[in-house]
Amino acid sequence: MPRVFFALWPDEPARAKLAALARRVTDEGGGRGVPAAHLHLTLAFLGDVPEDRVEAAKRVASGIRGPAFE
């Protein structure tokens, strides 16, 4: 059963800046940073979703629109 979530994925320049900040934080405070390729902003976490329901979730999400922002 896949774990499903909806997220915003930053473009490459934003991802690079976030990754650099994460390195600074982990260098100074310890812990483990997230690889740049995995950086995202989770909007909604649905959790474990049966395979036969994933397409329905995608269909619903494809109709959601919002204004652009920076």
Side-chain angles (χ1 to χ4, degrees):
M1 198 173 313
R3 293 177 59 149
V4 176
F5 63 96
F6 297 106
L8 298 177
W9 297 85
D11 61 17
E12 185 55 39
R15 194 169 32 251
K17 288 180 182 179
L18 289 167
L21 178 59
R23 279 191 299 278
R24 243 181 72 208
V25 168
T26 57
D27 286 350
E28 293 180 22
R32 182 176 49 135
V34 175
H38 296 174
L39 289 172
H40 66 275
L41 172 63
T42 300
L43 300 173
F45 181 72
L46 303 183
D48 295 329
V49 175
E51 289 281 345
D52 62 338
R53 301 299 298 160
V54 172
E55 286 305 315
K58 287 180 182 180
R59 275 193 309 278
V60 170
S62 71
I64 298 171
R65 297 285 180 262
F69 62 91
E70 293 184 22

